[in-house]
Amino acid sequence: MCASWKIPADGRRAEVTVTMLVRDEVSIAQDGVEVVVARRQLTDLADKLYFLDQAFTADARDVVEALCGQE
């Protein structure tokens, strides 16, 4: 493990732990469930999470159009 960050619990959801692993991977864990993402996958994952985050703060139609590539 190189570095670790904790995202506090929120309502019904438990704390999330994001950990950089020494083998060019990132672990995302919550409530005993862990997802390990390869470095090559991080950009795509970050893009999807960004658009999902925007769905909660922006007009949903704009987000759907961006995700689907429609004009």
Side-chain angles (χ1 to χ4, degrees):
M1 171 174 64
C2 289
S4 183
W5 299 269
K6 297 201 181 286
I7 300 167
D10 184 24
R12 301 183 328 248
R13 303 294 173 213
E15 177 180 81
V16 174
T17 303
V18 179
T19 306
M20 262 180 85
L21 304 174
V22 293
R23 55 188 183 273
D24 289 340
E25 296 174 330
V26 172
S27 165
I28 303 167
Q30 182 183 45
D31 271 346
V33 175
E34 178 183 37
V35 174
V36 177
V37 180
R39 183 177 69 169
R40 293 181 311 271
Q41 297 173 300
L42 286 176
T43 299
D44 287 341
L45 177 62
D47 289 347
K48 303 311 180 273
L49 290 173
Y50 172 78
F51 282 116
L52 290 170
D53 180 57
Q54 292 303 300
F56 292 105
T57 58
D59 182 348
R61 182 176 178 175
D62 293 340
V63 174
V64 169
E65 288 175 359
L67 287 172
C68 296
Q70 299 174 358
E71 294 185 20

